[in-house]
Amino acid sequence: MSGYPKVALLGYVDDEVMPDTVAGLERLAAQLLQSREWAGAPPEFVDNIDSAGVRTCGVLLWLTDVRASGEVTVSAELDRRELADAKSVVDALAAFSGRTGVTVGIEYGGDSVGWIEAGRPDEGIREGLIGEWERGVAG
């Protein structure tokens, strides 16, 4: 939604990045693009190497930053839709991890939330990210 600050939800490979992993994540991002009507921009595949030589390969979803101070509160409808978007990305990354055995790290706003190992999101993702958000949406 324009006018609101954005925050990144990033799922990235937390293992050695292999060529088949890159291809699999590219396919996953393409499938996610077609899978639903997204509240904002659809998730995108990322594969970058920063100036320190650290590679980030994964899926990026831009969300409305409801934590931004001094901003007008987003509508409950947008919050619900973006929660559904975030859950779709996490679920798709969990399925990918389960199929491939790749460990996936999850960051929200540049902060580590947790990891998905062997297809299982840890407590930080299940409770800290998704659970807290669900409770907030439920009021």
Side-chain angles (χ1 to χ4, degrees):
M1 302 278 110
S2 63
Y4 289 106
K6 296 294 181 186
V7 63
L9 177 71
L10 173 67
Y12 62 93
V13 175
D14 197 34
D15 289 324
E16 184 178 351
V17 179
M18 304 302 283
D20 58 333
T21 303
V22 175
L25 284 169
E26 283 182 297
R27 281 192 302 277
L28 179 70
Q31 291 164 352
L32 280 167
L33 175 69
Q34 302 299 320
S35 69
R36 58 186 289 115
E37 185 174 319
W38 297 89
E44 58 191 71
F45 170 73
V46 293
D47 190 4
N48 302 313
I49 299 174
D50 68 14
S51 59
V54 177
R55 186 173 186 180
T56 300
C57 182
V59 176
L60 175 69
L61 176 66
W62 288 102
L63 299 164
T64 304
D65 189 357
V66 296
R67 303 176 307 176
S69 60
E71 293 301 319
V72 176
T73 304
V74 299
S75 71
E77 168 69 15
L78 176 59
D79 204 20
R80 277 192 296 278
R81 290 186 64 206
E82 287 196 338
L83 170 60
D85 289 352
K87 286 170 69 172
S88 291
V89 169
V90 168
D91 289 348
L93 288 167
F96 177 80
S97 170
R99 282 191 312 274
T100 64
V102 170
T103 298
V104 176
I106 301 291
E107 289 183 358
Y108 180 86
D111 296 326
S112 178
V113 174
W115 286 265
I116 301 170
E117 295 183 80
R120 293 185 186 91
D122 70 9
E123 186 175 349
I125 297 168
R126 288 188 325 271
E127 289 301 316
L129 176 67
I130 302 298
E132 283 293 320
W133 199 344
E134 287 174 333
R135 287 185 285 282
V137 166

